Amino acid sequence: MTKAELLEQARKLSRDEQMQLAHDLWVEADGPYDDPAEVEAAWATEIGRRMEAILDGSDPGLSDAEVRERLGL
């Protein structure tokens, strides 16, 4: 089957089926999802690092005014 034939067949699918196909192809091309436990552990480490930097003063964070300015509020 050529790419053009495959695309023609994909266009016959419902929108939901097309979205699922696109998702499945993306995952296949990108590789499997990361292990959720590893992702959670990595985020916990990053959050801990950020909190430590705030508490020890090495990262003072942003003022309310700076946050509002960045968000255009």
Side-chain angles (χ1 to χ4, degrees):
M1 180 180 286
T2 67
K3 185 176 92 170
E5 291 169 331
L6 181 60
L7 186 56
E8 181 182 335
Q9 291 297 312
R11 286 185 174 131
K12 294 177 183 176
L13 298 172
S14 70
R15 177 156 170 75
D16 287 342
E17 290 170 324
Q18 289 176 354
M19 296 303 290
Q20 185 62 54
L21 176 60
H23 174 266
D24 292 347
L25 288 170
W26 181 267
V27 169
E28 185 71 26
D30 195 38
Y33 289 116
D34 294 329
D35 177 8
E38 289 179 18
V39 172
E40 187 172 335
W43 271 113
T45 299
E46 179 64 15
I47 291 167
R49 184 192 66 75
R50 292 180 186 193
M51 287 298 299
E52 186 176 323
I54 291 169
L55 294 173
D56 72 14
S58 61
D59 182 352
L62 300 172
S63 70
D64 179 60
E66 289 172 301
V67 171
R68 290 179 181 276
E69 183 178 331
R70 284 188 180 194
L71 295 175
L73 301 175

